[in-house]
Amino acid sequence: MSETTREGDDGPGRGLPSGRAVGALVRGLVDFVLPPVCFVCEAPLNAAPGLCMSCWSRLSWIERPYCARLGTPLAYDLGEDALSAEAIADPPPFDRARAVCLHDEISRELVHGFKYRDRLELGAAMARWMARAGAELVRDADVIVPVPLHRRRLWQRRFNQAAVLANSLAATSGKPAELRALLRIRATRRQVGLERKSRQSNVRGAFAVEPQAQHVIAKRRVLLVDDVYTTGATVKACTRALLRGGASHVDILTFARVVSPASLTI
């Protein structure tokens, strides 16, 4: 007797849950077995993974007023285009810098988890916050470029955290990311623990635009992306290399920003 499908029967495949429904079911089961927790303190959360209210409130968000050039907080609102004393005394080679937050206990834990403990899920969250903090920079950018790692360091770490952030920003903004446009052509010492002048000499001449990528850099406004802005030595060296490679303008977007306590009183 042949099998036929009568009107009203489900037939082959009918009545089975859709792929979207299956996906939702799987996510629900995962959340039940492994409920979302805070990125920092691992306190259980009711919604998607992120920060609990305690850690969120302890993160030092950078909000206006801030220096129009360096993006560092200002003690007083001196107008939209106000510059800090540092920006006036030592103008950087880039146009504008923005960051999500100050480099404090909470942001340090996020950066270290992402950078050194392979928690790539933190990169997506950090990039979302960066997109909001640097909305005007992302809007004006022609191309997004990460601060590169030397191939030896990349082999040791297995991924470039700045490239992960750049890719995420590109995916959400629709702007192109050129992950190999800028190269670290000389291996350098780690910047951690070095004084300002040592940092500057350490990265001097360490970067260059990839010759085959000059056509995507020339006459373009480049958004340079990294995880932390410390003294600015690295992003300044990268900016100079991009300008030598033909970029018209360079802006800087990072997740965290190291700011000296003295500068916060100016």
Side-chain angles (χ1 to χ4, degrees):
M1 182 177 177
S2 63
E3 293 185 3
T4 59
T5 302
R6 298 182 178 88
E7 185 177 356
D9 287 348
D10 285 335
R14 294 184 181 178
L16 295 178
S18 67
R20 182 177 297 177
V22 171
L25 178 62
V26 170
R27 286 192 299 273
L29 289 173
V30 170
D31 287 344
F32 178 76
V33 177
L34 299 172
V37 297
C38 174
F39 287 144
V40 176
C41 70
E42 298 188 348
L45 301 175
N46 294 325
L51 293 177
C52 68
M53 289 303 298
S54 175
C55 291
W56 181 275
S57 64
R58 290 164 55 203
L59 195 62
S60 302
W61 305 95
I62 295 178
E63 299 175 341
R64 294 185 184 276
Y66 50 68
C67 172
R69 193 80 180 269
L70 296 176
T72 49
L74 296 174
Y76 306 100
D77 190 351
L78 302 175
E80 186 175 349
D81 298 324
L83 298 178
S84 62
E86 181 182 356
I88 295 171
D90 185 21
F94 52 78
D95 284 16
R96 300 169 293 180
R98 298 290 184 268
V100 174
C101 56
L102 300 182
H103 193 247
D104 58 12
E105 179 185 358
I106 301 297
S107 62
R108 185 185 305 110
E109 183 65 24
L110 291 169
V111 169
H112 282 202
F114 172 44
K115 193 171 180 177
Y116 301 120
R117 297 196 288 274
D118 295 348
R119 295 185 60 189
L120 296 181
E121 74 276 11
L122 295 180
M126 291 161 64
R128 287 196 300 271
W129 295 330
M130 290 167 66
R132 289 196 292 268
E136 58 183 331
L137 276 61
V138 175
R139 180 198 64 209
D140 296 343
D142 295 314
V143 61
I144 302 173
V145 173
V147 169
L149 290 177
H150 189 266
R151 60 181 179 275
R152 186 186 309 161
R153 184 71 54 78
L154 182 60
W155 182 83
Q156 293 171 342
R157 192 176 292 168
R158 300 186 300 279
F159 72 97
N160 177 5
Q161 75 280 355
V164 173
L165 295 172
N167 251 343
S168 293
L169 284 166
T172 57
S173 68
K175 298 297 179 75
E178 294 292 338
L179 305 185
R180 294 280 298 170
L182 188 63
L183 303 177
R184 191 181 292 247
I185 58 177
R186 178 172 59 81
T188 58
R189 297 167 56 195
R190 291 186 63 188
Q191 294 280 68
V192 177
L194 298 180
E195 298 294 332
R196 180 180 292 268
K197 289 185 178 180
S198 297
R199 285 174 176 263
Q200 293 171 352
S201 61
N202 187 42
V203 295
R204 187 174 295 120
F207 303 96
V209 171
E210 161 64 48
Q212 295 182 355
Q214 284 189 340
H215 69 284
V216 300
I217 297 299
K219 300 180 181 179
R220 302 288 183 87
R221 179 179 283 274
V222 176
L223 180 60
L224 184 67
V225 172
D226 205 1
D227 54 349
V228 180
Y229 184 119
T230 307
T231 64
T234 297
V235 296
K236 289 175 182 177
C238 288
T239 296
R240 295 185 180 99
L242 288 166
L243 293 174
R244 286 196 301 270
S248 61
H249 302 276
V250 179
D251 292 320
I252 312 296
L253 182 57
T254 62
F255 173 68
R257 179 73 153 81
V258 175
V259 177
S260 64
S263 66
L264 295 177
T265 63
I266 297 175

